[in-house]
Structure formats: structure tokens, C-alpha cells
Amino acid sequence: MGTIGMSALLHTSDLSIGYDAKTLLRSVSLNLQAGEVAALIGVNGSGKSTLLRTIAGLQTPLAGSVRVGDRDLHAMSSSERARAISVVLTGKPQAGLLDVRTLVSLGRQPWTGRLGLLTEKDHERVDDALRRTGTMDFAYRSLHELSDGEAQKVMIARALAQDAPVMLLDEPTAFLDLVNRVAVMRLLRDIARSLHRAVLVSTHDLAGALQLCDRIHLVHDGILWSGAPAESIATGVFDRAFAAQGLRFDPVTATLVEVQE
């Protein structure tokens, strides 16, 4: 799948990330393009989650910068960041007795006044998010009544209602079966295409990433490799990244398999 020749909505410059004196990744050059879905892949502890938190503005970089358009992300106020970037975290939301529509409406907070009152435009954005994610039919059900797949679509709807040009998702398909994993990835691809959003998905699902994403970002050995899905297969980068775990990449099934001694 080729890339779409549109402008970068988010890009990093000479970015280094980590904690205190420990650097996990250096000189990261990452571009998130309008209209594209990109996958962020890497073994646990490689720096993948830290990178996601840093480009979400939740963690300060050790060096370099993250820019949304021509603005430094970490110089923005929290409300300005929320208008630029929406974040969907792993797992089912713990939102008590809230119904679906109420939770999705919370995505409008960066755009409402201090009292949080929704205007007609805000309600239209919420309706559009519910329709696009296929969650309108259960808009007034309580969150605790939803399946994992339904709940994940609701969290995407909330991010969509936030109306930010960049969407970051941390393992959105981690607890889903195959059918729902594919449905969520297709939904994200449709959102990116139709609304010209830049979508970055952290995932362990190699097959889904290679089939449905426009670009692969692979965290390995302190660096970030980036390329098209076909390029990631041709270069053997997955074999190098996962060899230490005793795994190799099978290009036929697009999955990691155990190396037989």
C-alpha cells in the first residue's frame, strides 16, 4: 500500500526520548501524514510506549522537538494540545454509569467554555462521530454493558468528536478477536482517508499492520526505522528486530514464528 502524498501534520526533529539519564531512542525522525494510518511496532521495553507518550505531549523529550504543523507541541497549553492531538489508550474505559453518548460528548471539552455546555455544532460533531464509528445504535447504553469491540469503537468515537487532526492509539486491538481487530483497523483507515487525519496505532498485530496501514514505524535497538509495509518485508527488518526474542518473520502469514533450533 503506497503512501498518500499529503502534508505532514506531525513531525519530530532530532528527537531523543527516555527517562532521567536513560535514553531509549535517539535522533528520531517521524512524520505523520494527513490521510494515512501508520503502525508503531516494537518489543516491550524498546521505547515504543515512551515515544507514543512523548509525541502525545504527555512526556517531555530529552532532546529535539515534536511539532504539529509549525508549532512546538511541548510549548502548547494543555487545551491547545487537546485540539491538536487525541489519544486512545488500551482497555475498556472505567466510566461508571455513563452512557455512550455522554462519554463521546466529553471529547468536545477542548472546544467548549468553562461550563462545558455543548452548542449545536458540538452536538453535530458528536452525532457524526457516533455515525462514523457505528455506535449510534447503542448511544444510550451504559458503558459496562458493551462488548470489548463496542467499547473500543466508543473510545475512537470520543477521539473523533475531539476534532483533532492527529489521532494516537495505544494498542486499540489488544483485547479483541480477529473480526473486531480488522473492523477497528478498517475504521481507522476510513477516518484517516475521509477526514484527512493522521493516525498512529501502536500494535503487536503485524499482519493487520502490514495489510491495513500505509506506513510502518519499527522501534529497535535505540532507533526508529520507518518505511512502507512492502519495504519492511523486503529489507528483513522484522527478523533483525525480533531475533533476540527467538522469533523470525514469516512473510507468507505476515506473523512472527518461533525459530526452530
Side-chain angles (χ1 to χ4, degrees):
M1 186 183 300
T3 58
I4 302 169
M6 302 184 74
S7 60
L9 295 180
L10 180 147
H11 64 281
T12 68
S13 177
D14 205 23
L15 184 69
S16 293
I17 64 165
Y19 294 92
D20 301 322
K22 183 177 182 181
T23 301
L24 295 175
L25 290 173
R26 298 179 185 276
S27 301
V28 172
S29 177
L30 181 145
N31 293 282
L32 300 183
Q33 305 285 338
E36 287 190 352
V37 179
L40 180 62
I41 296 171
V43 300
N44 292 335
S46 62
K48 181 178 61 173
S49 295
T50 304
L51 176 59
L52 198 67
R53 287 179 57 81
T54 303
I55 62 177
L58 302 175
Q59 186 168 325
T60 304
L62 300 181
S65 64
V66 180
R67 304 190 76 82
V68 178
D70 60 355
R71 296 198 62 192
D72 187 330
L73 177 71
H74 292 88
M76 293 180 180
S77 67
S78 58
S79 61
E80 287 174 328
R81 283 199 304 270
R83 293 183 181 190
I85 296 177
S86 60
V87 180
V88 178
L89 301 176
T90 308
K92 206 167 183 177
Q94 301 299 313
L97 298 177
L98 289 183
D99 63 35
V100 168
R101 186 181 182 86
T102 301
L103 180 65
V104 174
S105 297
L106 292 176
R108 295 302 301 164
Q109 283 184 332
W111 302 94
T112 59
R114 289 184 179 180
L115 297 178
L117 299 177
L118 300 184
T119 65
E120 182 178 350
K121 177 182 177 181
D122 293 319
H123 285 296
E124 289 174 356
R125 290 288 193 272
V126 171
D127 287 341
D128 184 63
L130 291 168
R131 280 194 295 269
R132 287 180 183 274
T133 55
T135 55
M136 182 69 84
D137 288 346
F138 48 88
Y140 294 100
R141 281 167 56 188
S142 296
L143 292 167
H144 66 82
E145 299 175 4
L146 304 182
S147 69
D148 288 341
E150 289 170 339
Q152 194 58 263
K153 288 181 179 179
V154 169
M155 296 310 294
I156 293 171
R158 176 181 172 174
L160 196 55
Q162 195 170 324
D163 223 12
V166 178
M167 293 179 66
L168 306 177
L169 301 98
D170 185 17
E171 297 285 353
T173 63
F175 303 109
L176 305 183
D177 59 24
L178 177 60
V179 172
N180 279 299
R181 287 203 304 269
V182 173
V184 165
M185 291 302 294
R186 284 178 174 168
L187 170 61
L188 294 173
R189 186 177 62 181
D190 290 343
I191 288 170
R193 298 284 197 276
S194 61
L195 298 176
H196 306 297
R197 305 284 171 87
V199 179
L200 179 65
V201 183
S202 170
T203 182
H204 288 290
D205 182 7
L206 283 184
L210 291 170
Q211 182 181 4
L212 295 169
C213 291
D214 301 289
R215 196 159 186 83
I216 303 294
H217 299 291
L218 178 65
V219 177
H220 168 55
D221 199 22
I223 62 171
L224 182 74
W225 180 94
S226 299
E231 186 182 358
S232 68
I233 295 174
T235 58
V237 67
F238 290 131
D239 284 333
R240 296 192 294 275
F242 293 98
Q245 280 69 45
L247 301 171
R248 68 173 179 82
F249 178 73
D250 183 347
V252 176
T253 61
T255 59
L256 295 171
V257 297
E258 192 171 359
V259 175
Q260 300 297 321
E261 297 295 340

